[in-house]
């Protein structure tokens, strides 16, 4: 019979799960929406330190890959043998260990972040299936980085136009683009930022220091 245990803060999570990470032999799955979610979880070993024979798959959220800290982090993971993909959608922040244990990052609104450590087989299976679905729809890191190089080339100018409140026609003329191209660039930028509106795209860009 499996269990669900809720812990508070990364220090307690480390103390309660270090032995589970040490016992992981076949595969570690990791999904993250924010760089800091898991980086402090295992201060002595770090989830980046991959043992021979252990397959590691990491799924990162597209919008946060615009943060300049993320690109190097993802490349380091890949250089250490991890399979890395990027998702255009929000992902549940999750770690799965050998298909036996799931760790879900939870709420931060009431102090230290909660983490749920789950060993109940039916729940582990269901969460793993969700990860696999997100993984299949993700973009491989090399393809993502090529797309990001193009995005970074036009993102500041498009964001500036959005912040100035220009009409699409005015912005397209100022940037030397066709109206169709400008609108496509805006849509691409909103997708990369995980924004549902142009206002939200501007706010998210400010959070990441893009404007």
């Amino acid at each position: 019979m499996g269990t669900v245990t809720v812990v508070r803060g990364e220090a307690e999570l480390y103390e309660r799960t270090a032995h589970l990470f040490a016992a992981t032999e076949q595969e570690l799955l990791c999904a993250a929406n924010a760089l800091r979610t898991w980086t402090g979880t295992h201060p002595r070993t770090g989830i980046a330190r991959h043992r021979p024979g252990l397959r590691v798959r990491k799924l990162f959220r597209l919008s946060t890959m615009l943060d300049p800290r993320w690109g190097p982090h993802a490349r380091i993971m890949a250089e250490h043998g991890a399979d890395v993909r990027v998702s255009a959608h929000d992902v549940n922040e999750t770690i799965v260990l050998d298909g036996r244990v799931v760790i879900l990052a939870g709420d931060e609104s009431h102090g230290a972040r909660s983490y749920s450590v789950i060993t109940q087989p039916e729940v582990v299976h269901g969460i793993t299936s969700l990860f696999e679905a997100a993984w299949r729809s993700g973009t491989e890191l090399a393809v993502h980085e090529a797309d990001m190089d193009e995005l970074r080339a036009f993102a500041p100018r498009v964001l500036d136009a959005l912040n100035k409140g220009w009409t699409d026609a005015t912005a397209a003329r100022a940037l030397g683009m066709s109206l169709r191209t400008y609108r496509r660039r805006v849509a691409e930028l909103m997708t990369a930022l995980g924004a549902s509106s142009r206002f939200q795209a501007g706010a998210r860009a400010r959070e990441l220091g893009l404007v």
Side-chain angles (χ1 to χ4, degrees), residues 95-185:
I95 287 178
V96 183
L97 306 176
D98 277 345
R100 298 180 295 103
V101 180
V102 163
I103 303 171
L104 294 179
D107 185 53
E108 291 182 284
S109 61
H110 301 291
R113 189 168 201 174
S114 66
Y115 295 89
S116 298
V117 183
I118 303 168
T119 59
Q120 188 169 346
E122 295 84 357
V123 179
V124 171
H125 181 268
I127 293 172
T128 303
S129 296
L130 292 175
F131 178 95
E132 294 291 356
W135 180 262
R136 288 192 296 270
S137 66
T139 302
E140 293 185 3
L141 180 62
V143 175
H144 162 77
E145 290 195 323
D147 292 342
M148 290 297 288
D149 286 342
E150 182 180 359
L151 178 64
R152 289 191 182 97
F154 69 78
R157 295 183 297 151
V158 172
L159 286 166
D160 184 57
L162 292 176
N163 287 331
K164 289 178 178 176
W166 289 345
T167 66
D168 287 359
T170 299
R173 285 195 300 271
L175 300 180
M177 301 178 183
S178 70
L179 181 59
R180 181 176 181 180
T181 298
Y182 175 75
R183 286 174 173 166
R184 186 178 77 249
R185 295 303 197 193

Side-chain angles (χ1 to χ4, degrees), residues 19-149:
H19 68 290
L20 299 175
F21 279 84
T24 302
E25 298 179 345
Q26 299 176 0
E27 186 171 53
L28 184 152
L29 312 179
C30 178
N33 284 330
L35 184 60
R36 62 186 174 79
T37 303
W38 303 115
T39 51
T41 301
H42 289 75
R44 292 199 288 272
T45 59
I47 62 172
R49 300 173 70 92
H50 305 146
R51 295 188 297 279
L54 175 65
R55 185 187 183 193
V56 178
R57 286 189 282 158
K58 292 178 177 285
L59 183 65
F60 296 145
R61 179 183 173 189
L62 173 59
S63 61
T64 51
M65 291 296 282
L66 286 172
D67 188 316
R69 296 171 299 174
W70 274 78
H73 175 73
R75 284 191 292 273
I76 289 171
M77 297 299 98
E79 289 167 1
H80 281 76
D83 294 328
V84 180
R85 292 190 181 183
V86 181
S87 174
H89 309 287
D90 286 352
V91 293
N92 293 318
E93 295 191 288
T94 306
I95 287 178
V96 183
L97 306 176
D98 277 345
R100 298 180 295 103
V101 180
V102 163
I103 303 171
L104 294 179
D107 185 53
E108 291 182 284
S109 61
H110 301 291
R113 189 168 201 174
S114 66
Y115 295 89
S116 298
V117 183
I118 303 168
T119 59
Q120 188 169 346
E122 295 84 357
V123 179
V124 171
H125 181 268
I127 293 172
T128 303
S129 296
L130 292 175
F131 178 95
E132 294 291 356
W135 180 262
R136 288 192 296 270
S137 66
T139 302
E140 293 185 3
L141 180 62
V143 175
H144 162 77
E145 290 195 323
D147 292 342
M148 290 297 288
D149 286 342

